[in-house]
Amino acid sequence: MKKLENKKIIQVNIEKELKNSYLDYAMSVIIGRALPDVRDGLKPVHRRILFAMNVLKNFSYKPYKKSARIVGDVIGKYHPHGDSSVYDAIVRMAQSFSLRYVLIDGQGNFGSIDGDSPAAMRYTEIRMSKIASYFLQDLDKNTVKFVKNYDESEKIPTILPTLIPNLLINGSSGIAVGMATNIPPHNLNEVINGCLATIKNSKITNSELMKYIKGPDFPTKGIINGKIGIKKAYKTGKGQIYIRAKSIIKKNENKKKYIIIKELPYQVNKAKLISKIAYLIKEKKIEGIQTLRDESDKDGTRIYIEIKKNNIPEIVLNKLYSLTSLEVSFGINMVALHKGKPKLLTLKKIITAFLNHRKKIIIKRSIFKIKKYQKQSFLLEALSIAFKNIDTIIKYIKSSSNIKKAKYKILKKKWKIQKNNKKLKLEKNIKFLKNKKYIFSENQVKKILNMKLNKLTNLEYKTLLLKYQKLSKKIFYLKNILKKKKKMKQVIIKELKILKKKFKDKRKTKITNKISNIKIQDMIISENVVVTLSYSGYIKYQPITEYEAQKRGGKGKYATKIKSKDYIKNLLIANTHDIILCFSSQGIVYWMKVYQLPKASRQSRGKPIINLIPLKKKERITTILSFKEYVKKRNILMATSQGMIKKTSLKKFKNPRSSGIIAINLKKNDQLIDVAITKKNSNIMLFSKLGKVVRFLEKKVRLVGRSAYGVKGIKLNNKDSVVSLIIPNKKDEILIITENGYGKRTKISEFPIKSRSNKGIISIKITKKNKNVVKSIQVNKKNQIMIITNHGKLVRIRVSEIRKLTRNTQGVILIRIVKKEKVVGLQKIKNI
């Protein structure tokens, strides 16, 4: 290997070198591409596009220019990247569904909300929008810093002297290295009101700003659900909001219901949305939709969804919100470059940064104008003095052999200021002596010598004085702006109000106060169902409409297919939206919703409840209780097979655990058999399988905690056990059914109130013909009942068809049973 002459090999740490190189790259992406500046709300590519259009005089009142022309200038002079990145930025700046206030007025195909690609840059034409010109206002007045471009052949501004609070009104999104930004667009009218409020009160809080800036305002309209996410984002810089499509439910001529989607959430592709809905219909994940059609046109979005007969449109709509992008979340992450560094900003910080930028622009603009006006006034002063000394000046010119000598004489002369000139407010930078004798500068002499003879009239002199006075007033006004904060605020307020008057519009996106979170329950049709639980633990539900009422003594229909040696233990009529408390043999309670149970046909056994509830070994569900919601001043009464009764507040069961909670402590060989919800002043009735009943006042049972045993409710012999717990209503009757299908209804008044813990009285006469009591319920004439056998057979009967008998009778046949078959369940159907 040849030795390198005059070369040094420098050893570097590769880890340190890679770290530095990556950090350089990261900062380049963060500052040069991905993040907007808090002051003008623009990324470098957008800023360079607007600057290039300004240089080409591609204004809103001028003819359109080809997009390719602008792209060529941007990549050729200012932006060292590919043409596609520049044209993509131009396209987005021209899309009314992407930007709340478009910055480019496009002519041609710039894509659509369906995700259609724009035409090539050689076909489309563009010019600045009217609002875009306010980004470049005062750019020529030395208001911003210019730097050299990538090849040092041109100069470009580092920031635009914008009058528009663009970071808020148009928002921004971008992914940098290790960070991202996602700022939603807002209404210009609201943002300017927020700016004006901040100017008037510098100590204004983010919460107070929300009185003016209600929340994001998207170009595609839609509805924002709730203000919590907005408040959090404005206070911390981060938050999440939910945007929902606007929908209307109507009826057509054939009385069929249909849904019209009129507005979509921001950045949702309409074509993909419709394809997704069609896919969900095909896969039967959304049922109830008959027709799906896109009826959108130039006037706006319109998606037509016709609902099938007997389907509820609200349920279908809730499923669409849950499963499609008809409702989307928007993560607000207000990160922007502030003083050259990426920062997470609150609402007030963004507004304050913009207003500080405006102050700097106005200061620099005022200084620029003052210098310009001073230069003009300086020359006008010289002309004014020259007018009063014109004879001397002409004499010097005539007597001089050349212009240089004349110039020299005028420069050396100390000129008197005439009385008429005393009104002139001489500026400090103009040279004059203490004794009011004036000395001209070279520029002033040059202006005097170039003066035409026709300007020596008296009228011209008066016009000159008038111009000078106007300039003096302007200089005085501008200096006041620099000196007095109040004047500065007035200028900012005036300019913002002019902007507001010119571009203000109504809010597009509606904000609702309440959060409309879609729960699973909102997607389930509310209907009455039959819940069955077999002794072996198979559970299911099916619509109650599958069972028509039969006459007393009918054979019934099969409610479920069961295994041999299995039978239906529990039958419950409930609503799909009801809460179910499942009480186990070990005194544990589990919490569920009816719709969480498996829905199955009459021929199906259902699913093992152990797959839904984490039951322990040898633990089984003995009773189930349904109710709509937790109500204050309600108690749960529990009855055990050995006659124990316990009362616990319903609110003790409000916070269930997936593993279940203790409902009652049970003694050996005892089990929980029935549960009921009661008020404070109810009666309690306990029915035994051998036809005994006891009725006593609820107040005789004190309120205890979940882990208590309870007290004695009825005294039983060794062969007897409790089968039912009833909280009687004076207007209702008691219906009792036995194992062999015999039953009767009896007035409640036939069951007298006695003390707790006695042997009770006869409720039904037990014989070999009717056998033991299975269940007792309270009913009225308008009710219907459902009876189920251990063979899975179910019959539905009208209560009015059942004979009313006294206590000491065996009843009549309600359902005919076959050999080895017996009744195992009885349930009342409400509101029939």
Side-chain angles (χ1 to χ4, degrees), residues 486-497:
K486 190 178 178 181
K487 286 285 182 184
M488 173 69 76
K489 286 181 179 180
Q490 286 173 355
V491 173
I492 298 171
I493 289 168
K494 185 182 177 182
E495 290 179 348
L496 287 173
K497 282 184 176 178

Side-chain angles (χ1 to χ4, degrees), residues 178-194:
M179 64 184 68
T181 186
N182 201 29
I183 304 169
H186 291 76
N187 182 271
L188 181 137
N189 192 47
E190 290 182 4
V191 172
I192 290 177
N193 286 340

Side-chain angles (χ1 to χ4, degrees), residues 397-424:
I397 294 168
K398 281 182 176 181
S399 63
S400 300
S401 58
N402 55 53
I403 199 73
K404 284 184 180 180
K405 288 183 179 180
K407 186 178 178 182
Y408 179 78
K409 287 177 182 178
I410 295 168
L411 280 169
K412 291 293 180 183
K413 172 75 175 174
K414 294 176 183 177
W415 302 91
K416 288 183 180 181
I417 300 173
Q418 303 295 327
K419 289 181 180 180
N420 291 344
N421 297 107
K422 285 182 180 179
K423 290 180 181 179
L424 296 174

Side-chain angles (χ1 to χ4, degrees), residues 299-459:
D299 296 323
T301 301
R302 182 183 166 92
I303 301 171
Y304 176 86
I305 302 168
E306 191 174 301
I307 307 301
K308 288 179 181 178
K309 194 177 179 181
N310 299 325
N311 279 271
I312 301 168
E314 288 80 5
I315 298 290
V316 174
L317 190 58
N318 281 336
K319 285 184 179 178
L320 288 170
Y321 283 139
S322 177
L323 301 174
T324 71
S325 51
L326 279 180
E327 183 176 70
V328 298
S329 63
F330 186 98
I332 300 173
N333 188 28
M334 299 199 292
V335 176
L337 294 174
H338 184 48
K339 296 180 181 178
K341 295 177 182 179
K343 283 191 177 179
L344 184 68
L345 303 164
T346 63
L347 177 65
K348 189 186 175 183
K349 283 181 180 177
I350 291 173
I351 289 173
T352 304
F354 167 73
L355 293 174
N356 288 337
H357 179 57
R358 284 305 304 155
K359 284 177 188 175
K360 288 177 182 177
I361 296 300
I362 291 166
I363 288 167
K364 289 179 180 179
R365 182 183 69 189
S366 298
I367 292 168
F368 177 85
K369 284 184 176 181
I370 286 168
K371 286 179 180 178
K372 181 183 174 183
Y373 294 155
Q374 282 179 337
K375 190 176 179 182
Q376 290 173 5
S377 66
F378 188 46
L379 296 174
L380 288 174
E381 280 176 351
L383 291 175
S384 175
I385 293 165
F387 262 110
K388 292 299 177 182
N389 296 279
I390 194 67
D391 294 334
T392 308
I393 288 170
I394 291 169
K395 182 183 174 183
Y396 282 168
I397 294 168
K398 281 182 176 181
S399 63
S400 300
S401 58
N402 55 53
I403 199 73
K404 284 184 180 180
K405 288 183 179 180
K407 186 178 178 182
Y408 179 78
K409 287 177 182 178
I410 295 168
L411 280 169
K412 291 293 180 183
K413 172 75 175 174
K414 294 176 183 177
W415 302 91
K416 288 183 180 181
I417 300 173
Q418 303 295 327
K419 289 181 180 180
N420 291 344
N421 297 107
K422 285 182 180 179
K423 290 180 181 179
L424 296 174
K425 295 176 182 177
L426 302 174
E427 297 301 326
K428 290 179 183 178
N429 63 333
I430 296 172
K431 298 172 185 177
F432 61 91
L433 299 177
K434 288 181 180 179
N435 58 2
K436 299 293 182 182
K437 288 187 177 179
Y438 200 91
I439 299 172
F440 290 125
S441 69
E442 285 192 25
N443 285 334
Q444 286 176 321
V445 173
K446 191 177 178 181
K447 184 73 176 175
I448 292 165
L449 293 173
N450 288 334
M451 187 170 58
K452 294 179 181 179
L453 289 172
N454 64 354
K455 296 287 182 181
L456 299 176
T457 64
N458 194 47
L459 182 66

